[in-house]
Amino acid sequence: MKSYDVIVIGGGPAGLAAAESACKAGAKTAVLEREARLGGILKQCVHDGFGLIRFGEKLAGPEYAERYIDFVKELPIDAYTLTFVTKIEKKADGFAVTCVSREGMLDFTAKALVLATGCRERTAKQVLIQGTRPAGVFTAGTAQNFVNLMGKMPAKKCVILGSGDIGLIMARRLTLEGAEVEGVYEVKPEPSGLTRNIHQCLHDFDIPLHLSHTVTRVFGADRLTAVEVAEVDDKMKPIKGTERVVECDALILSVGLIPENELAESLGVKINPFTKGPDCDQTYMSSVDGVFSAGNALNVFDLVDYVSECAADAGANAAHFTPSGGCVRLERGRGLLSYVPHRIDLSKPHDKVVFFFRSAKDMDRGTLKITADGKEVYKKKFAFLRPPEMQRVEIDCSAFGLSAKSSLSVELEEN
């Protein structure tokens, strides 16, 4: 039995930032990672653009991950790789964590946990594409792994479904490696990826983007030979008569990410219906005392710099964990797609709350408003809001005059 103050589950950018921060805050810390190497998804993200906020320079994904791996190695943090968490139990004095590793079964105890388990990609069956199961249908992350880590080309001519950032980046990557990208098809009337990726990955390479289109069927026996695409209506249903067949040998799916929170749910953690991650307070503690969440397991972020920021805060707060006090729920009003935190714990510092949010739709101009007990207590204007692009503000909630009986709501008003 190995005992720690803080155990971080997940050794990606969120987990590493949380572990570094927890250790620097004085906690005896361990990281449990199921893969053979630390670094998470960034190991295969060879494009640059990471670290502009966190480090003030443009880094490739592996470079960004290596910075945090080095930070962890310089500190007395125990990192366990190829270690799978199979069970977590809440005890009176903390948590019991059971793992399977190369050494066999391992048992740990911890006073607090940071869940930094990241996301997984939706598959073809999860978006209800009809047809058989031929080879050649990949998630964007799988295709990225093939090209960037294994040196294998998954396609000669491909169709990309979904305009998420990984799909856009893979459209450019496959083009640079000699494949033909017939087009990117997006079921929604607006792109799902960052504006800069639309321009740098599609426009700069003359790759067509077909909005309000989807893939309705795949063809092929052993290997994919073609897909059927069609226009969709305002309810995202295929329009009869608009179908056409596109010959290709690969279909790349970039149709959304699902936060991995099975471990959180096993502990009874409340999951927020909008972020699909744990419902949390301003310290990133979940509804279960001592369980903190960080990174994309909490909320799918657009920038890894924000992942590291919230994870570092979660790690430090886990090191100084105190049970939840009186909380005021931050109710979701109109105009917002998602946000964190979801409540303010009045027993903890709340003079500098970092608030992340996404708009529910494209807005040329919008105003974020917070109302406490029917009175407007905060207002800030924004320009060019898009759902894929997360916004960050710092709010002094201690100035709102809140009590345990207060009502608190947030909305985004289009101007």
Side-chain angles (χ1 to χ4, degrees), residues 27-203:
K28 183 181 179 182
T29 306
V31 177
L32 310 181
E33 168 56 47
R34 64 187 176 188
E35 294 188 3
R37 294 168 53 206
L38 299 173
I41 195 66
L42 290 188
K43 297 192 295 292
Q44 66 188 49
C45 299
V46 300
H47 54 282
D48 64 13
F50 303 96
L52 290 171
I53 298 173
R54 202 70 177 160
F55 296 113
E57 54 184 309
K58 189 186 293 185
L59 303 173
E63 292 177 310
Y64 188 98
E66 196 64 30
R67 292 281 179 97
Y68 274 100
I69 292 170
D70 289 342
F71 294 159
V72 167
K73 287 181 177 178
E74 291 169 0
L75 295 169
I77 297 171
D78 294 335
Y80 299 83
T81 55
L82 287 176
T83 301
F84 296 76
V85 176
T86 59
K87 185 178 181 181
I88 304 176
E89 292 181 281
K90 184 166 176 55
K91 304 291 186 180
D93 57 349
F95 301 88
V97 182
T98 304
C99 302
V100 176
S101 75
R102 289 167 291 185
E103 302 170 15
M105 298 291 291
L106 295 177
D107 292 313
F108 302 91
T109 62
K111 296 176 183 177
L113 302 175
V114 179
L115 303 180
T117 46
C119 289
R120 61 176 176 269
E121 296 176 279
R122 284 190 175 89
T123 65
K125 294 302 178 184
Q126 288 175 306
V127 291
L128 305 177
I129 296 176
Q130 302 300 311
T132 58
R133 298 180 64 185
V137 180
F138 308 98
T139 64
T142 299
Q144 188 180 58
N145 184 281
F146 274 128
V147 177
N148 293 346
L149 292 185
M150 300 173 65
K152 304 287 186 181
M153 276 295 287
K156 295 180 180 178
K157 181 180 180 180
C158 71
V159 164
I160 296 179
L161 176 61
S163 58
D165 289 310
I166 304 177
L168 299 176
I169 288 164
M170 284 311 298
R172 176 179 63 184
R173 188 77 174 101
L174 289 166
T175 300
L176 289 171
E177 291 297 329
E180 178 187 349
V181 179
E182 190 275 339
V184 175
Y185 294 82
E186 171 58 57
V187 71
K188 294 185 291 187
E190 63 281 326
S192 297
L194 296 174
T195 300
R196 73 182 189 206
N197 285 333
I198 299 294
H199 288 278
Q200 294 174 3
C201 300
L202 299 188
H203 296 172

Side-chain angles (χ1 to χ4, degrees), residues 34 41 116-123 126 139-142 166 253-263 265 276 296-297 300:
R34 64 187 176 188
I41 195 66
T117 46
C119 289
R120 61 176 176 269
E121 296 176 279
R122 284 190 175 89
T123 65
Q126 288 175 306
T139 64
T142 299
I166 304 177
L253 303 173
S254 181
V255 289
L257 300 170
I258 303 171
E260 290 204 34
N261 280 304
E262 287 78 8
L263 289 175
E265 291 179 288
K276 308 303 182 186
N296 286 344
V300 179

Side-chain angles (χ1 to χ4, degrees), residues 124 127 129-138 155 157-162 180-186 210 213-221 223-231 242-253:
V127 291
I129 296 176
Q130 302 300 311
T132 58
R133 298 180 64 185
V137 180
F138 308 98
K157 181 180 180 180
C158 71
V159 164
I160 296 179
L161 176 61
E180 178 187 349
V181 179
E182 190 275 339
V184 175
Y185 294 82
E186 171 58 57
H210 305 275
H213 280 74
T214 191
V215 173
T216 52
R217 187 174 300 180
V218 298
F219 302 98
R223 177 79 191 197
L224 184 75
T225 57
V227 299
E228 180 185 83
V229 298
E231 292 184 41
T242 64
E243 303 91 345
R244 66 184 178 90
V245 174
V246 179
E247 293 185 356
C248 58
D249 64 353
L251 172 63
I252 310 295
L253 303 173

